[in-house]
Amino acid sequence: MTAKLGTHIEKHYEPHDLIYYPPKPSDVTLELLMASQSHLGHNTGLWNPANARYIFGIRDGIHVISLDVTAAHLRRAAKVVSAVAERGGLILFVGTREGQDRCVVRAAQLAKGCHLFERWIPGSITNGQQILGKCRKKVVNQFDEEIPGFDNQSADRAALKPDLVVCLNPLENYVMLHECGLNNIPTIGIIDTDANPTWVTYPIPANDDSLRCVQVIAGVLGQAGAEGQELRRVAATKGNLTYYPAEGLTAPSTQTQLLQVGDPTANGMEDQARQMSRHTAGL
């Protein structure tokens, strides 16, 4: 008799869900963006006129960002991340504001990329050989398995540079975005109404002050990277490479000796070395 009495609790927002179960690009809806406060901009006196095309209107002296534009730009950025991951590119996720570290790390884990949630060291790209030259580099095959024996060759190679940079707070990382522009590295960034959309290659107009909004965007881009990585692995199982192998690397001397003596296992080792995928930094 009392089974139907009481309050029925509907599903409600829990902050950790966006970290452990981030939304996919197909899950992007206007309701999700509205709930994460992606539409709230800054005071009208702080706006950047270059963002006029992203603004829906004004309410109580605050610019309101058009969520239709936000959803379209977010889906476009997700396709870029997925394509770079599918081709074996190195993606760097950057978020240096307080509270962004967990979503940045989670997005990097999904996309198998790198992350940065502390201060950007100026010159890490333009002068990377001096700052990151001593970082260990490894050679992996098409299945992301490390191939031993290339330490001597990889130590002499230049420091790695990311193929794509995702910046969650461009205002505090202008130096990094400038270095990416000097080295022709494409960038994705959350652009609020007070930021300059020309700082990044693929802007996402949204509220960069809302941690929930940042978690949604980082989760969507991380899931897009995971989809690209899965497509790359599926192609690798079929014997197809979606990227260009690293150049200037030769098989280790031990394998060469096995080939000279006619060891039957040497041919497979040599083929594995020739079809190595790319360098990966051990940061």
Side-chain angles (χ1 to χ4, degrees):
M1 298 294 295
T2 61
K4 297 182 179 180
L5 298 179
T7 303
H8 178 66
I9 302 178
E10 299 287 345
K11 183 179 179 181
H12 58 283
Y13 166 67
E14 295 182 3
H16 61 272
D17 284 348
L18 294 176
I19 302 297
Y20 298 111
Y21 311 103
K24 297 181 179 180
S26 58
D27 299 331
V28 176
T29 60
L30 299 185
E31 291 80 6
L32 176 63
L33 297 176
M34 176 71 75
S36 61
Q37 300 179 348
S38 304
H39 60 291
L40 298 180
H42 284 273
N43 188 281
T44 55
L46 301 176
W47 80 309
N48 190 314
N51 293 317
R53 50 185 172 176
Y54 306 140
I55 295 177
F56 176 79
I58 301 175
R59 182 176 179 85
D60 295 335
I62 302 296
H63 275 130
V64 178
I65 302 174
S66 176
L67 293 182
D68 291 330
V69 179
T70 301
H73 283 67
L74 180 56
R75 295 191 184 102
R76 180 185 66 169
K79 291 182 179 180
V80 173
V81 173
S82 178
V84 173
E86 182 181 359
R87 288 162 177 77
L90 181 62
I91 305 176
L92 173 62
F93 290 85
V94 179
T96 58
R97 286 186 183 177
E98 183 179 0
Q100 295 181 354
D101 49 353
R102 297 181 64 190
C103 62
V104 169
V105 173
R106 179 58 177 167
Q109 291 175 348
L110 292 172
K112 293 187 180 297
C114 301
H115 61 267
L116 174 69
F117 51 82
E118 296 180 349
R119 188 181 70 89
W120 172 263
I121 301 177
S124 296
I125 295 179
T126 54
N127 194 24
Q129 190 61 28
Q130 298 295 328
I131 298 177
L132 303 175
K134 295 183 180 180
C135 293
R136 180 180 178 271
K137 295 179 286 290
K138 61 182 180 181
V139 177
V140 298
N141 59 11
Q142 62 270 30
F143 301 107
D144 294 336
E145 300 171 349
E146 183 177 359
I147 306 176
F150 288 91
D151 293 339
N152 294 333
Q153 300 182 48
S154 60
D156 299 333
R157 299 176 72 89
L160 295 179
K161 296 180 181 179
D163 299 291
L164 176 67
V165 175
V166 178
C167 183
L168 303 181
N169 54 329
L171 287 177
E172 290 85 354
N173 294 286
Y174 171 75
V175 175
M176 180 199 65
L177 297 176
H178 181 66
E179 294 183 20
C180 292
L182 294 177
N183 289 268
N184 298 323
I185 299 175
T187 55
I188 297 175
I190 300 178
I191 299 299
D192 210 332
T193 57
D194 62 339
N196 190 345
T198 62
W199 285 0
V200 296
T201 312
Y202 302 98
I204 302 177
N207 181 11
D208 62 350
D209 297 311
S210 171
L211 182 58
R212 185 176 178 182
C213 172
V214 172
Q215 290 177 347
V216 169
I217 294 177
V220 170
L221 298 182
Q223 289 282 21
E227 294 177 359
Q229 293 289 348
E230 182 63 24
L231 293 175
R232 181 180 60 82
R233 285 191 294 268
V234 171
T237 57
K238 298 179 181 179
N240 300 324
L241 296 180
T242 59
Y243 51 85
Y244 293 102
E247 299 179 354
L249 293 177
T250 58
S253 57
T254 55
Q255 298 179 12
T256 304
Q257 294 175 359
L258 292 176
L259 288 172
Q260 293 176 353
V261 299
D263 192 300
T265 62
N267 292 329
M269 297 174 66
E270 185 186 31
D271 294 339
Q272 186 185 36
R274 289 178 178 175
Q275 294 183 358
M276 64 196 71
S277 63
R278 59 205 179 281
H279 279 83
T280 304
L283 298 179

